[in-house]
């Protein structure tokens, strides 16, 4: 049974509707084709991925987990609107999801055991709950699960949000 190695969480600021997952360069410069799964795309050059959010600008909650193998399904899969997996070659010692910070907040970094090919499973919820968000609207949330794995094709696990459907159409 796979084991959770480490986890980190934080609230990050989204700008331009994406959360960038970046390596040591703290820059992600590719243009995703969201039509594949409407949630996450890996940088073909490696060391980066982008998560498509329902909000253009705002604060979202992100939890990133490192596993020693493919994690089991989340406890309550019905609470997540969307889930998808992609493979990415990672050259850096960490995944940073700070998006607009200076990269110095360790809460926005997930340490990796080393360079290699990793699988990213991303879950999203509250993607359709307003843009811009009002104070009483639920906070958009993402769970990023990472584990070492051979390169494989992208996979849509679940796509029920209007945000995902709109991009996949």
């Amino acid at each position: 049974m796979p084991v959770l190695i480490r986890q980190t969480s934080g609230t990050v600021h989204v700008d331009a509707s994406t959360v960038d997952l970046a390596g040591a360069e703290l820059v992600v410069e590719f243009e995703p084709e969201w039509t594949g799964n409407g949630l996450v795309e890996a940088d073909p050059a490696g060391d980066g991925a982008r998560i498509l959010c329902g909000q253009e600008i705002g604060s979202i909650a992100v939890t990133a987990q490192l596993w020693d193998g493919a994690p089991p399904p989340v406890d309550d899969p019905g609470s997540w609107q969307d889930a998808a997996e992609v493979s990415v070659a990672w050259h850096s010692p960490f995944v940073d999801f700070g998006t607009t910070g200076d990269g110095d907040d360790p809460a926005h970094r997930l340490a990796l055991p080393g360079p290699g090919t990793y699988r990213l499973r991303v879950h999203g919820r509250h993607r359709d709950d307003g843009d811009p968000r009002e104070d009483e609207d639920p906070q958009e949330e993402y769970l990023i699960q990472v584990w070492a794995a051979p390169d494989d094709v992208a996979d849509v696990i679940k796509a029920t949000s209007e945000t995902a459907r709109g991009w996949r159409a």
Side-chain angles (χ1 to χ4, degrees), residues 8-163:
T8 186
S9 298
T11 300
V12 297
H13 181 77
V14 172
D15 192 6
S17 300
T18 63
V19 172
D20 288 350
L21 307 179
E25 296 293 319
L26 299 178
V27 176
V28 177
E29 295 186 0
F30 79 108
E31 288 300 321
E33 290 188 28
W34 298 117
T35 56
N37 62 45
L39 179 61
V40 59
E41 293 288 331
D43 186 339
D47 236 17
R50 283 203 165 125
I51 297 171
L52 177 64
C53 300
Q55 302 175 81
E56 182 177 358
I57 298 172
S59 294
I60 63 165
V62 176
T63 298
Q65 302 174 332
L66 177 65
W67 289 79
D68 69 354
V74 293
D75 290 338
D76 183 9
S79 70
W80 297 98
Q81 293 174 293
D82 303 316
E85 289 183 9
V86 295
S87 293
V88 62
W90 214 265
H91 313 294
S92 298
F94 60 82
V95 175
D96 183 284
F97 57 88
T99 69
T100 59
D102 59 12
D104 291 333
D105 187 348
H108 293 166
R109 284 192 178 165
L110 180 67
L112 299 176
T117 303
Y118 289 86
R119 195 74 172 162
L120 305 177
R121 181 184 301 152
V122 177
H123 298 80
R125 67 175 150 215
H126 304 302
R127 298 179 78 204
D128 299 331
D129 292 332
D131 184 30
R133 298 282 161 114
E134 302 297 329
D135 291 341
E136 65 274 5
D137 292 332
Q139 186 176 34
E140 193 167 348
E141 296 179 63
Y142 293 91
L143 170 62
I144 304 161
Q145 298 173 309
V146 180
W147 66 97
D151 188 38
D152 201 353
V153 296
D155 186 27
V156 176
I157 298 167
K158 184 178 183 181
T160 63
S161 74
E162 290 298 320
T163 300

